[in-house]
Amino acid sequence: MGLTWKERAFTALLGAAAVSGLTTLILFLVEATNVLLPADTKFGIVFDAGSSHTSLFVYQWLANKENDTGVVSQALACRVKGPGISSYASDPAQAGESLQGCLEEALALIPKAKHQQTPMFLGATGGMRLLSQKNSSQAEDVFAAVSQALSRSPVAFWGAELLAGQDEGALGWVTINYILGLLVQYSFSGEWIQPLEGTSVGALDMGGASTQITFVPGGPILDTTTQATFRLYGTEHSVYTHSYLCFGRDQMLNRLLAGLVQSSPSLLVRHPCYHSGYRGTLALAPLYGSPCVQAAAPRDLGQNLTVEGTGNPGACVAAIRGLFNFSSCDGRGDCAFDSVYQPPVRGQFYVEASSPGQDGQLRDYCASGLYILTLLLEGYGFSQETWGGIEFREQAGGTNIGWTLGYMLNLTSLIPAEAPAQWRAQSYGVWVAGVVFLVLTVTAILGATVVQLWLRD
């Protein structure tokens, strides 16, 4: 049986309402999509030239959101083969050549059309700081060779520089708090929400030559030389930060061994931190080549040293404690060690520690672990109550923890001083589309109801 004219009219009205509503919705969604669809992707490259090795990181972000929060992500992490660039002091050209493998990986990842627009940086830390102290002309030669090699690449090389220890710590704090979204949050109501006081996390970094601690203390920072201030998203952040050169993992191991050599009557040293049964030989000269080793060197540095492990944890801790001057902080509640001012630790901390080297890593595990424990408990002042707030992580949110992301964000001005208004427009577009859809749906239902009532009459 065919439809009556009233039923046909009813169907036509419903169809017209549906088409009209769908068309309008599509138009609004297209308008919102013009704002929300991913725009052109940009890239940035940062070399982290540490004391023991160099790493390359590629970051990417959307061009139309480069002043927003939480949009920069890590696209590549590459560990350069060989030692840190400071190890090439006698052959600077090799320092530049050593970076080519990871650079080629980065260039293969980034589209060629983007190469000229991609900024590239190299920041050097503890190893080059020590080389600069020991021989400034050699350090300058290494930087020149690295800059020359990287300048030949098709990307926009912005230069190589030596980072101060305080900058390394402060930028590491920016990185971890940026990754975790603790600098600013965006609410569903379309407003920027500043983080609650005390919600930021501290940053601890254990490198090969230096170690850094950075956090927001519970009170005023009494020593302004340990203070770093940022204005990020309209909020001023004041952090305590200090870098201890010569207290990184590799330099600690050298200082520890040199101290044992000094107390030994012969060139046979029994090392309490090495496992029982270990026996090895090494050249003396490299041990005393670092400015961190203050112990008196034997007269003949051309000799070899024989080291035997005894596996004595108690004696190992005692030897490690001898690397610190804890007595200089006796009676002071705002002192870490070596007379360095530090407020009491506060809040949660993320720790990035360098992994043991490929040579003798089993041999060094005990010393490294007990050293980190001594540094955190007796040096930085963590306790049983605050220990639970420490997280040992290499990454957070798929991004490596460290100073490199904060460094690039700073140099490329990707974090503005004030919260941008762009996200408000994006949120508003989606909100309007949702409201329009709701209104059209209600209108269609009401229209259908009216027509049904009409048909019944």
Short mmCIF file of all heavy atoms in Angstrom, two decimals, residues 19-20 37 40 85 93 104 158 167 173 212 234 242 266 290 313 316 321 332 346 350 353 359 398 419 456:
data_model
loop_
_atom_site.label_atom_id
_atom_site.label_comp_id
_atom_site.label_asym_id
_atom_site.label_seq_id
_atom_site.Cartn_x
_atom_site.Cartn_y
_atom_site.Cartn_z
N VAL A 19 18.84 17.16 6.29
CA VAL A 19 19.84 17.70 5.36
C VAL A 19 20.30 19.08 5.81
O VAL A 19 21.49 19.40 5.80
CB VAL A 19 19.26 17.75 3.93
CG1 VAL A 19 20.21 18.52 3.00
CG2 VAL A 19 19.04 16.34 3.41
N SER A 20 19.33 19.90 6.22
CA SER A 20 19.68 21.25 6.67
C SER A 20 20.58 21.20 7.89
O SER A 20 21.59 21.91 7.98
CB SER A 20 18.41 22.04 6.99
OG SER A 20 18.74 23.30 7.53
N LEU A 37 42.86 21.15 12.68
CA LEU A 37 43.66 20.18 11.94
C LEU A 37 45.15 20.48 12.09
O LEU A 37 45.55 21.64 12.14
CB LEU A 37 43.28 20.21 10.46
CG LEU A 37 42.04 19.41 10.06
CD1 LEU A 37 41.78 19.55 8.58
CD2 LEU A 37 42.17 17.95 10.44
N ASP A 40 51.47 22.71 9.51
CA ASP A 40 52.81 22.35 9.10
C ASP A 40 53.67 22.00 10.30
O ASP A 40 53.70 22.74 11.28
CB ASP A 40 53.42 23.54 8.35
CG ASP A 40 54.36 23.09 7.27
OD1 ASP A 40 54.38 21.87 7.00
OD2 ASP A 40 55.07 23.93 6.71
N ILE A 85 82.94 14.90 23.22
CA ILE A 85 83.80 15.71 22.35
C ILE A 85 85.03 16.21 23.10
O ILE A 85 86.06 16.51 22.46
CB ILE A 85 83.03 16.89 21.74
CG1 ILE A 85 82.49 17.82 22.83
CG2 ILE A 85 81.89 16.39 20.85
CD1 ILE A 85 81.84 19.08 22.27
N ALA A 93 89.35 17.68 14.94
CA ALA A 93 88.57 17.37 13.74
C ALA A 93 87.70 16.13 13.95
O ALA A 93 86.57 16.05 13.43
CB ALA A 93 89.48 17.17 12.55
N GLU A 104 73.07 12.30 10.28
CA GLU A 104 72.47 11.71 9.08
C GLU A 104 71.11 11.07 9.40
O GLU A 104 70.18 11.13 8.59
CB GLU A 104 73.43 10.67 8.48
CG GLU A 104 74.67 11.30 7.82
CD GLU A 104 75.64 10.25 7.33
OE1 GLU A 104 75.31 9.04 7.44
OE2 GLU A 104 76.73 10.63 6.84
N TRP A 158 72.71 26.95 14.55
CA TRP A 158 72.67 28.19 15.34
C TRP A 158 73.89 28.33 16.26
O TRP A 158 74.00 29.32 16.98
CB TRP A 158 71.40 28.24 16.17
CG TRP A 158 70.17 28.58 15.39
CD1 TRP A 158 69.97 28.37 14.05
CD2 TRP A 158 68.96 29.16 15.88
NE1 TRP A 158 68.72 28.78 13.68
CE2 TRP A 158 68.07 29.28 14.79
CE3 TRP A 158 68.53 29.59 17.14
CZ2 TRP A 158 66.78 29.81 14.92
CZ3 TRP A 158 67.26 30.12 17.27
CH2 TRP A 158 66.40 30.23 16.17
N ASP A 167 72.81 26.82 34.38
CA ASP A 167 71.87 26.77 33.24
C ASP A 167 71.46 25.33 32.94
O ASP A 167 70.29 25.06 32.62
CB ASP A 167 72.51 27.39 32.00
CG ASP A 167 72.73 28.88 32.14
OD1 ASP A 167 72.03 29.50 32.97
OD2 ASP A 167 73.60 29.43 31.44
N TRP A 173 65.05 21.55 34.75
CA TRP A 173 63.80 21.76 35.50
C TRP A 173 62.68 22.18 34.55
O TRP A 173 61.55 21.70 34.65
CB TRP A 173 64.02 22.82 36.58
CG TRP A 173 62.83 23.08 37.43
CD1 TRP A 173 62.47 22.46 38.59
CD2 TRP A 173 61.80 24.06 37.17
NE1 TRP A 173 61.29 22.98 39.07
CE2 TRP A 173 60.85 23.96 38.23
CE3 TRP A 173 61.59 25.00 36.17
CZ2 TRP A 173 59.73 24.77 38.29
CZ3 TRP A 173 60.46 25.81 36.23
CH2 TRP A 173 59.54 25.70 37.29
N GLN A 212 73.58 17.98 39.10
CA GLN A 212 72.78 19.17 39.33
C GLN A 212 71.54 18.85 40.16
O GLN A 212 70.97 17.77 40.02
CB GLN A 212 72.31 19.80 38.01
CG GLN A 212 73.39 20.48 37.21
CD GLN A 212 74.33 19.50 36.50
OE1 GLN A 212 75.54 19.62 36.60
NE2 GLN A 212 73.77 18.52 35.80
N GLY A 234 52.95 33.64 31.98
CA GLY A 234 52.40 34.64 32.87
C GLY A 234 52.68 34.42 34.34
O GLY A 234 52.27 35.22 35.18
N HIS A 242 71.86 24.30 41.71
CA HIS A 242 73.31 24.30 41.88
C HIS A 242 73.89 23.11 41.14
O HIS A 242 73.29 22.02 41.09
CB HIS A 242 73.70 24.22 43.36
CG HIS A 242 75.18 24.40 43.58
ND1 HIS A 242 75.79 25.63 43.54
CD2 HIS A 242 76.17 23.49 43.80
CE1 HIS A 242 77.08 25.49 43.75
NE2 HIS A 242 77.33 24.20 43.91
N SER A 266 102.07 0.88 47.38
CA SER A 266 102.61 0.36 46.12
C SER A 266 101.62 0.62 45.00
O SER A 266 100.57 1.23 45.20
CB SER A 266 102.89 -1.15 46.24
OG SER A 266 101.66 -1.86 46.38
N SER A 290 92.66 14.82 34.79
CA SER A 290 91.50 15.67 35.02
C SER A 290 91.77 16.66 36.15
O SER A 290 92.39 16.32 37.15
CB SER A 290 90.29 14.81 35.39
OG SER A 290 89.22 15.61 35.89
N PRO A 313 81.51 -3.52 51.17
CA PRO A 313 80.60 -2.38 51.09
C PRO A 313 80.86 -1.31 52.15
O PRO A 313 80.78 -0.11 51.87
CB PRO A 313 79.21 -3.00 51.27
CG PRO A 313 79.39 -4.43 50.87
CD PRO A 313 80.78 -4.80 51.29
N CYS A 316 83.80 0.61 51.21
CA CYS A 316 83.47 1.37 50.00
C CYS A 316 82.74 2.67 50.36
O CYS A 316 83.08 3.74 49.86
CB CYS A 316 82.61 0.51 49.07
SG CYS A 316 82.09 1.33 47.55
N ARG A 321 82.51 8.54 51.13
CA ARG A 321 82.23 9.69 52.00
C ARG A 321 83.44 10.62 52.06
O ARG A 321 83.30 11.83 52.29
CB ARG A 321 81.85 9.24 53.40
CG ARG A 321 80.52 8.52 53.48
CD ARG A 321 80.06 8.29 54.91
NE ARG A 321 79.43 9.50 55.46
CZ ARG A 321 80.01 10.30 56.33
NH1 ARG A 321 81.25 10.05 56.75
NH2 ARG A 321 79.37 11.36 56.81
N ARG A 332 74.39 23.50 60.28
CA ARG A 332 73.62 24.32 59.34
C ARG A 332 72.52 23.50 58.68
O ARG A 332 72.78 22.43 58.13
CB ARG A 332 74.54 24.90 58.26
CG ARG A 332 75.58 25.90 58.77
CD ARG A 332 76.48 26.35 57.63
NE ARG A 332 75.71 26.89 56.49
CZ ARG A 332 76.26 27.21 55.33
NH1 ARG A 332 77.57 27.05 55.14
NH2 ARG A 332 75.51 27.71 54.37
N ARG A 346 62.22 19.61 48.76
CA ARG A 346 60.76 19.70 48.89
C ARG A 346 60.10 19.18 47.64
O ARG A 346 60.51 19.48 46.52
CB ARG A 346 60.37 21.16 49.12
CG ARG A 346 58.89 21.49 49.09
CD ARG A 346 58.69 22.96 49.44
NE ARG A 346 57.31 23.38 49.34
CZ ARG A 346 56.80 24.05 48.32
NH1 ARG A 346 57.60 24.39 47.30
NH2 ARG A 346 55.54 24.41 48.29
N TYR A 350 62.45 14.14 39.85
CA TYR A 350 62.76 13.20 38.78
C TYR A 350 64.28 13.18 38.58
O TYR A 350 64.91 14.24 38.48
CB TYR A 350 62.07 13.61 37.47
CG TYR A 350 60.63 13.16 37.39
CD1 TYR A 350 59.66 13.74 38.19
CD2 TYR A 350 60.24 12.16 36.51
CE1 TYR A 350 58.33 13.34 38.13
CE2 TYR A 350 58.91 11.74 36.44
CZ TYR A 350 57.97 12.34 37.24
OH TYR A 350 56.66 11.92 37.17
N ALA A 353 70.05 9.70 35.57
CA ALA A 353 71.44 9.34 35.87
C ALA A 353 72.08 8.72 34.65
O ALA A 353 71.44 7.96 33.91
CB ALA A 353 71.51 8.37 37.04
N ASP A 359 82.88 -0.13 29.26
CA ASP A 359 84.06 -0.79 29.82
C ASP A 359 83.92 -0.92 31.33
O ASP A 359 83.81 0.07 32.05
CB ASP A 359 85.33 0.01 29.49
CG ASP A 359 85.57 0.08 27.99
OD1 ASP A 359 85.19 -0.88 27.31
OD2 ASP A 359 86.11 1.10 27.53
N GLY A 398 57.40 9.89 26.83
CA GLY A 398 58.08 9.59 25.58
C GLY A 398 59.21 10.54 25.24
O GLY A 398 59.78 10.47 24.15
N ALA A 419 50.35 33.53 28.58
CA ALA A 419 49.54 32.46 28.01
C ALA A 419 48.89 32.93 26.72
O ALA A 419 48.27 33.99 26.70
CB ALA A 419 48.48 32.03 29.01
N ARG A 456 -2.12 13.18 12.89
CA ARG A 456 -3.17 12.51 13.67
C ARG A 456 -4.52 13.21 13.55
O ARG A 456 -5.57 12.61 13.70
CB ARG A 456 -2.77 12.44 15.14
CG ARG A 456 -1.62 11.49 15.40
CD ARG A 456 -1.18 11.53 16.86
NE ARG A 456 -0.03 10.69 17.11
CZ ARG A 456 0.60 10.61 18.28
NH1 ARG A 456 0.18 11.36 19.30
NH2 ARG A 456 1.63 9.82 18.41
#
